[in-house]
Amino acid sequence: MASATLLKSSPVLDKSEWVKGQSLTLRQPPVSTVRCHPTSSPALTVRAASSYADELIKTAKTVASKGRGILAMDESNATCGKRLASIGLENTEANRQAYRTLLVTVPGLGQYISGAILFEETLYQSTTDGKKMVDVLVEQNIVPGIKVDKGLVPLAGSNDESWCQGLDGLASRTAAYYQQGARFAKWRTVVSIPNGPSELAVTEAAWGLARYTAIAQDNGLVPIVEPEILLDGEHGIERTFEVAQKVWNKVFFYLAENNVLYEGILLKPSMVTPGAECKDRATPQQVADYTLKLLQRRIPPAVPGIMFLSGGQSEVEATQNLNAMNQSTNPWHVSFSYARALQNTCLKTWGGRPENVKAAQEALLIRAKSNSLAQLGKYTGEGESEEAKKGMFVKGYSY
């Protein structure tokens, strides 16, 4: 059932938006079509712009707001279990609930975090105190988001590559997520440089993202478009740049083919870095130069927010690289959508102990504030802990 503080009871309303200090409202958009009548063929129906257009633009701008970024806490139950195992906890719903409660209830988090990506369990879950997780986020001025893809599976006919499943039933799922209070969505697919990438894998990734994007917008959710260039490999930064250009070219070609509203999307790309096994490491300035050049060549200025994934970098590396990118003026909001690069120190500080909750929340707030400063180009790196400087690369999964 939708949260009472988020949603009004009437299912048919004429306006819907996410505004600080106001409740979320629901409506069922009318189907709007334009009919063309060729002289020698049946009538052709062309879909008009989504009736959610104004709301999508407003939501995207709210998430891409100055000095703020996204907390990615959408780990699947299996992945969350691995995180919990690293601190000696069992993968139970109660333990997942306790950890996610810790994250969303950090006092003052909304000053630095504009959106939180949730796993489906969390979207429908309450905190350990019985409050809806979605309510707690909205009270913090944080827009709730939802992971909607169904994960990676082997891509037949490719060079041991993957494709992302989840388009079947996506329209009904995104409609239900909107009813529950989500206002943006995320779909992650990956491209592997050591395995090619093959033309098949790149095309599949781009087309799947484009179809998801159109479906999400049609149901009121701002889509985060995430084709991750995996960090695996010995390749240098030039090779990453070359592959990323190819991938983003095809992504935006198919987004256009699917009549996507650019002003109502957010991007979650990888930063342009060398492969994890490359001997030549890149400085923050080099990462910034290559990444900004990629954006300038491939991303339309109409896109409001570029919310980078951390790509297996340490907490400090991810912050330094983001800060370097914000030393110059950009037509986009260049910010962050980090998972481990925000949570790593927080998780280890907590250790599953109730008495450590406050210290763990303070650790998360420090990381959120550091990345807020980096979004403004004002991060200095003073006072960073040794834990925050440790790398977090895991082969095949680096966000």
Side-chain angles (χ1 to χ4, degrees), residues 35-106:
R35 296 190 180 274
C36 304
H37 299 282
T39 56
S40 59
S41 62
L44 173 66
T45 300
V46 181
R47 183 181 175 281
S50 169
S51 61
Y52 282 103
D54 290 343
E55 182 184 355
L56 292 169
I57 293 170
K58 189 177 188 69
T59 299
K61 287 182 177 179
T62 299
V63 176
S65 53
K66 188 175 181 180
R68 299 203 297 167
I70 295 173
L71 169 62
M73 47 180 291
D74 57 313
E75 301 90 349
S76 67
N77 288 348
T79 300
C80 190
K82 294 177 183 177
R83 304 275 175 90
L84 294 175
S86 73
I87 57 171
L89 290 185
E90 284 186 73
N91 185 16
T92 64
E93 183 177 356
N95 285 335
R96 294 193 299 270
Q97 179 192 38
Y99 181 54
R100 289 162 176 164
T101 296
L102 182 158
L103 296 176
V104 302
T105 58
V106 174

Side-chain angles (χ1 to χ4, degrees), residues 35-223:
R35 296 190 180 274
C36 304
H37 299 282
T39 56
S40 59
S41 62
L44 173 66
T45 300
V46 181
R47 183 181 175 281
S50 169
S51 61
Y52 282 103
D54 290 343
E55 182 184 355
L56 292 169
I57 293 170
K58 189 177 188 69
T59 299
K61 287 182 177 179
T62 299
V63 176
S65 53
K66 188 175 181 180
R68 299 203 297 167
I70 295 173
L71 169 62
M73 47 180 291
D74 57 313
E75 301 90 349
S76 67
N77 288 348
T79 300
C80 190
K82 294 177 183 177
R83 304 275 175 90
L84 294 175
S86 73
I87 57 171
L89 290 185
E90 284 186 73
N91 185 16
T92 64
E93 183 177 356
N95 285 335
R96 294 193 299 270
Q97 179 192 38
Y99 181 54
R100 289 162 176 164
T101 296
L102 182 158
L103 296 176
V104 302
T105 58
V106 174
L109 188 63
Q111 184 177 349
Y112 311 117
I113 299 296
S114 57
I117 312 172
L118 310 179
F119 190 61
E120 186 177 66
E121 178 182 73
T122 316
L123 183 68
Y124 291 91
Q125 200 171 43
S126 297
T127 66
T128 52
D129 292 332
K131 292 191 69 173
K132 295 286 187 182
M133 294 274 189
V134 175
D135 283 358
V136 175
L137 288 170
V138 172
E139 288 170 2
Q140 293 249 51
N141 193 27
I142 298 173
V143 183
I146 178 69
K147 168 187 166 72
V148 299
D149 67 77
K150 293 294 185 179
L152 301 170
V153 292
L155 177 61
S158 71
N159 182 28
D160 196 25
E161 295 166 285
S162 300
W163 68 284
C164 186
Q165 56 187 349
L167 289 178
D168 288 350
L170 182 60
S172 60
R173 287 190 288 118
T174 48
Y177 296 150
Y178 183 95
Q179 296 265 346
Q180 183 62 17
R183 288 298 178 266
F184 70 97
K186 191 203 83 166
W187 177 287
R188 172 188 180 252
T189 192
V190 301
V191 172
S192 170
I193 293 179
N195 290 2
S198 67
E199 188 67 27
L200 173 64
V202 173
T203 300
E204 175 59 43
W207 179 253
L209 281 167
R211 290 304 305 140
Y212 139 76
T213 299
I215 293 167
Q217 287 191 338
D218 202 44
N219 289 284
L221 300 184
V222 170

Side-chain angles (χ1 to χ4, degrees), residues 378-393:
K378 298 179 179 179
Y379 172 74
T380 64
E382 294 180 4
E384 292 285 14
S385 68
E386 289 304 312
E387 184 63 46
K389 297 175 184 178
K390 294 180 180 178
M392 297 170 288
F393 173 68

